[in-house]
């Protein structure tokens, strides 16, 4: 399972970008149950790239896909591409106040 830092950042970005209630989201939340399809997943990965600077390939064979994809699986995928500088950015995103525009 993904390191909690990655899960926290994915949840925060889903909440902010898709205007969802954070109480709905856990590491085990399935994107489909949240109303997010494969296009929304690609959109989320672009948001991750823009906000963190992590180069996240959208055509990688290991990219999570399908209706059962969970937040943790997206976080695990993201973790594959994070370097030390990205980890610092993730830490800032995970700990910033909800209202902050980081």
């Amino acid at each position: 399972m993904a390191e909690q830092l990655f899960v926290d950042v994915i949840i925060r970005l889903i909440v902010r970008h898709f205007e969802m209630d954070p109480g709905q989201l856990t590491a085990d939340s399935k994107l489909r149950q949240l109303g997010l399809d494969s296009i929304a997943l690609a959109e989320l990965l672009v948001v991750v790239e823009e906000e963190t600077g992590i180069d996240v390939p959208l055509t990688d064979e290991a990219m999570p896909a399908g209706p059962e994809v969970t937040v943790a699986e997206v976080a695990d995928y993201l973790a594959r591409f994070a370097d030390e500088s990205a980890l610092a950015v993730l830490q800032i995103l995970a700990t910033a106040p909800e209202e902050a525009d980081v």
Side-chain angles (χ1 to χ4, degrees), residues 11-19 51 93 100-102:
I11 287 174
R12 288 192 110 175
L13 294 176
I14 289 172
V15 166
R16 187 179 328 150
H17 188 72
F18 296 102
E19 299 177 357
E51 300 233 4
L93 281 171
D101 189 15
V102 209

Side-chain angles (χ1 to χ4, degrees), residues 44-66:
L44 175 61
L45 292 176
V46 169
V47 168
V48 166
E49 190 167 335
E50 290 171 351
E51 300 233 4
T52 67
I54 298 171
D55 185 21
V56 185
L58 298 178
T59 56
D60 190 300
E61 286 183 13
M63 184 174 123

Side-chain angles (χ1 to χ4, degrees), residues 1-12 14-15 21-34 36 41 44 64 67-77:
M1 184 166 176
E3 184 179 322
Q4 191 62 43
L5 174 63
F6 293 93
V7 171
D8 292 346
V9 168
I10 293 296
I11 287 174
R12 288 192 110 175
I14 289 172
V15 166
D21 174 6
Q24 295 181 268
L25 296 154
T26 68
D28 297 324
S29 295
K30 292 181 176 151
L31 299 185
R32 179 192 60 179
Q33 291 172 331
L34 299 171
L36 303 177
L41 172 58
L44 175 61
E68 300 302 311
V69 172
T70 65
V71 169
E73 290 170 324
V74 175
D76 283 336
Y77 182 68

Side-chain angles (χ1 to χ4, degrees), residues 61-102:
E61 286 183 13
M63 184 174 123
E68 300 302 311
V69 172
T70 65
V71 169
E73 290 170 324
V74 175
D76 283 336
Y77 182 68
L78 171 64
R80 295 178 54 211
F81 306 102
D83 59 17
E84 288 300 314
S85 62
L87 290 174
V89 172
L90 290 170
Q91 189 64 42
I92 291 168
L93 281 171
T95 59
E98 291 288 329
E99 307 79 36
D101 189 15
V102 209

